[in-house]
Amino acid sequence: MSFFRTDRRRFMTALGLGAGSLLLPSRFGAGPQRTKAQDPVAPKRILFFITPHGMVPPTWHMRDDGMLGADHELDLTSMSEADFSETFQPLHRHREKLLLLDNLTMATSIAETARVVDGVGHDANEHHLCQAHLMTGTWAVQREGSTAIGGGRSLDMVIGDAVGQPGRFANRIYGFRHQHPYSFLAANEPAPREANPANAFADMMGYLPAEPTETGPTRDDLLRSGRASALDFAAAEFDHVLPRLGAEDADKLRRHQELVRALELSFSGGGVSGVSCDPAVSLEGGEMHQFMQLAALAFSCDITRVITLTAAGLTNAQFGAPDTLNMHQDIAHNSVEGAAGYDPAMAQHMTNYNRTYAEQFSELLDVLDSVPEVGGGTLLDNTTVVWLTELSTGTHWRDQMPRIIAGGGGGYFRTGRYVYYAPTNPTPFSWGAVRDVGPADSHLRVSLMHAMGMTDQDSFGLDEVTIRSTGSALSLRGPLPRLT
């Protein structure tokens, strides 16, 4: 009996291909004799979507400008697309599954600037510090003769430690490098990151047994010979299960089948039917879209429950800026009022830049929302998708941060809202006049751990930082309020 005749169901489950890899309520019956404890429960997952630079405050804000001194929130579900800010309009179709957070502060990164001023380390570059702190929330490693880099195990690694099990990857890091890594195994030890969707796809096949003998077929040979028959078997299983489903679940199964087929076509190589072991990645859809599809399949078949996707840098053509402009020096640094070289044209380019990322984020949500799950929901409903920007603005602000949560995390978050946090504490450090800022983003990290079941954790990274102007401690413990 061939290898793939004995293991093709496991092969399909590892790919999320088989109909059995989906949790469809009508497959299990819906009679009153079933108890809640018997029903399948979709797992919770988390995906971090990280983009470089920052935004333009007036073109992403949706706050009530008459209430900036008080906490308040807005109902996104009742808003028209025109009511959404220019930057976030592409997210409008997902408004019922969104939490837009306004006015958070990267307190640990700001506090590290004060340490450098006091002689602890030498690198106070805001890009470097934010890249080091974004996912770690702790002091960076100030490398002698080099730049600062992450100083602790990152949030995606820690959550992966908690939810990983044998037979499942604890986490996966996909995408592109901005300057420095965001994900770390330990201080000064970046986590492995895969920038090639084809290699990421091959990585998913790692659960298949190793080649049987040194002289026998290699793992690549087995994969190459088995994929076509496995895909054919998956198609037959779809056809077998489909008549047993209710109309709603049948439609969801068809959409999942379309997702599987789209991924197969994206990775088809050289005229060979099905997917080759060393696929030549199709340019159709682009690498970011391929990573989105891979994330959906990895989540849907429980290969991992934690993914970090670092977005590719944009070319000027992608957001309509002239090629003669430098994204960093010409556009980002001159995009916010108050900057020495502020130019409204650069602000518009920066707005278009982030709107393009909003379109990518919305596309990611589309992909996740197309995969059906238990109880009539979708993969998006049981996933917490977090959009993190490296900085608050292109001019290196680290307060007034935007943070976007989508999906709800299996009902953990109350979505459909724009939540504004009033400034209540002095900034940990300022080069000029001291002003009050919103809550530290460290509290959001705690909330994300709680959403993934780690409710015994009350801090991540640093427990507190010192407010330089007062000498008092700013506690970083506890979850961010008003999310659940």
Side-chain angles (χ1 to χ4, degrees), residues 44 381 384 408-414 446-453 455 479 483-484:
K44 293 183 178 182
D381 294 321
T384 300
Y412 184 83
F413 294 106
R414 286 193 298 122
V446 176
S447 293
L448 296 175
M449 289 193 293
H450 287 191
M452 291 298 291
T455 54
L483 299 184
T484 60

Side-chain angles (χ1 to χ4, degrees), residues 318-454:
Q318 286 179 280
F319 61 97
D323 290 339
T324 54
L325 294 177
N326 179 277
M327 174 60 221
H328 191 187
Q329 299 297 334
D330 296 328
I331 298 175
H333 285 181
N334 300 308
S335 61
V336 177
E337 289 191 61
Y342 171 68
D343 183 340
M346 299 303 108
Q348 187 61 56
H349 288 316
M350 197 71 189
T351 297
N352 296 342
Y353 174 87
N354 284 290
R355 184 183 172 107
T356 302
Y357 278 129
E359 291 168 353
Q360 290 187 4
F361 187 69
S362 194
E363 181 185 3
L364 171 62
L365 302 186
D366 287 338
V367 172
L368 297 176
D369 213 21
S370 73
V371 180
E373 288 218 291
V374 70
T378 68
L379 191 58
L380 178 60
D381 294 321
N382 293 302
T383 302
T384 300
V385 189
V386 190
W387 179 3
L388 303 173
T389 58
E390 172 200 356
L391 294 152
S392 175
T393 68
T395 54
H396 299 193
W397 292 5
R398 289 174 287 176
D399 62 332
Q400 301 186 46
M401 299 289 299
R403 291 291 181 254
I404 298 91
I405 296 174
Y412 184 83
F413 294 106
R414 286 193 298 122
T415 56
R417 298 181 298 137
Y418 182 100
V419 181
Y420 172 81
Y421 294 91
T424 55
N425 295 294
T427 180
F429 174 80
S430 176
W431 294 105
V434 176
R435 54 192 172 82
D436 286 350
V437 294
D441 65 347
S442 300
H443 300 294
L444 177 58
R445 298 187 190 101
V446 176
S447 293
L448 296 175
M449 289 193 293
H450 287 191
M452 291 298 291
M454 302 170 64

